[in-house]
Amino acid sequence: MRPTSVGVCEDDDELRGVLRRALERDGLTVRATASGTEAVRAFGTTPPDVLVLDVVLPDADGRDVCQALRAGGVMSPVLFLTARDALPDRISGFHAGGDDYLTKPFALAELLVRVRALLRRARGTGADGGAGVVLDPVGHGVAAGDRRARLTPTEYRLLAALAGRRGAVLRRPELVAAAWPQGAIVHDNTLDAYVARIRRKLRDIEAPHAVETLRGVGYVLR
């Protein structure tokens, strides 16, 4: 039986070392990265059993990193670490695909308990799949093969939400919550316009998937 692995993405060298030592003392195998780029490369290829992910990274928002991993088929539970403890911040983390949220400063004992709880929840579920498109959370781009398109931050969050649940219908309120700040007023035609732009960009890069409309309900990435 392979050892249970935990991925850690934390840019603070001291805290990253503390997390590594605490998790290893708890009998877990740890792979650690210091940036969003490294995290997508390392954990997108070989997903850990659970991922501890800082929200504020030097090159990307941790929530965008989580969405990129989800869109690539990585279903490992994600525990966000952040100093932001406001309700809208926590909600945005869950909309990005996170499973738990721990605010800094925190007790290592609590982190270990939460990691173990996520591991129990994840047992029996797969960790990879594949969405057919590759999302870049640092440059806010999307690629299919060797073709690439740039996305605005809002387009990125919309596509990431759709790609992370490819084949499932996302209702309009879910998409608005995933792509816009908490409390933003987004009209139906605004959402439609963003989806239309995403469709054009997917066509431009000859992506194997397309966004379909379920009139009166929402959208789905096929």
Side-chain angles (χ1 to χ4, degrees):
M1 180 182 295
R2 70 176 179 82
T4 302
S5 66
V6 178
V8 173
C9 183
E10 167 60 59
D11 66 301
D12 183 278
D13 293 341
E14 182 177 357
L15 179 55
R16 190 170 63 254
V18 168
L19 292 172
R20 177 190 286 276
R21 290 189 293 273
L23 291 163
E24 288 179 341
R25 280 197 302 268
D26 206 43
L28 301 166
T29 298
V30 179
R31 288 186 291 144
T33 63
S35 71
T37 301
E38 293 176 26
V40 171
R41 184 184 304 120
F43 306 133
T45 303
T46 308
D49 294 302
V50 66
L51 174 60
V52 179
L53 178 59
D54 191 17
V55 171
V56 180
L57 295 169
D59 61 342
D61 188 307
R63 291 164 294 193
D64 290 343
V65 172
C66 181
Q67 286 186 312
L69 290 170
R70 292 285 186 253
V74 176
M75 301 310 295
S76 309
V78 171
L79 170 61
F80 281 120
L81 300 180
T82 181
R84 303 170 179 170
D85 61 355
L87 179 60
D89 292 316
R90 296 198 299 274
I91 290 174
S92 68
F94 291 120
H95 280 306
D99 299 273
D100 201 356
Y101 207 96
L102 189 58
T103 56
K104 301 177 182 179
F106 53 83
L108 285 174
E110 181 178 5
L111 178 132
L112 293 174
V113 167
R114 289 175 182 259
V115 166
R116 286 294 183 183
L118 290 173
L119 287 169
R120 287 194 300 272
R121 188 188 310 172
R123 286 192 182 116
T125 62
D128 51 22
V133 294
V134 178
L135 293 178
D136 173 12
V138 178
H140 283 165
V142 58
D146 59 356
R147 295 175 178 266
R148 187 179 187 281
R150 290 188 63 86
L151 302 169
T152 68
T154 300
E155 290 170 352
Y156 174 90
R157 290 189 292 269
L158 277 174
L159 181 56
L162 290 161
R165 293 172 59 190
R166 182 165 64 88
V169 179
L170 271 69
R171 296 179 179 274
R172 287 174 173 271
E174 292 180 87
L175 290 169
V176 170
W180 278 271
Q182 179 79 7
I185 298 174
V186 181
H187 299 291
D188 281 352
N189 59 352
T190 301
L191 176 60
D192 294 340
Y194 272 90
V195 171
R197 284 156 52 177
I198 291 171
R199 281 184 174 131
R200 286 197 298 272
K201 292 181 180 182
L202 290 177
R203 286 197 299 268
D204 288 344
I205 63 172
E206 299 180 2
H209 306 300
V211 181
E212 295 182 8
T213 304
L214 272 75
R215 196 166 302 280
V217 180
Y219 294 96
V220 58
L221 185 70
R222 300 289 190 190

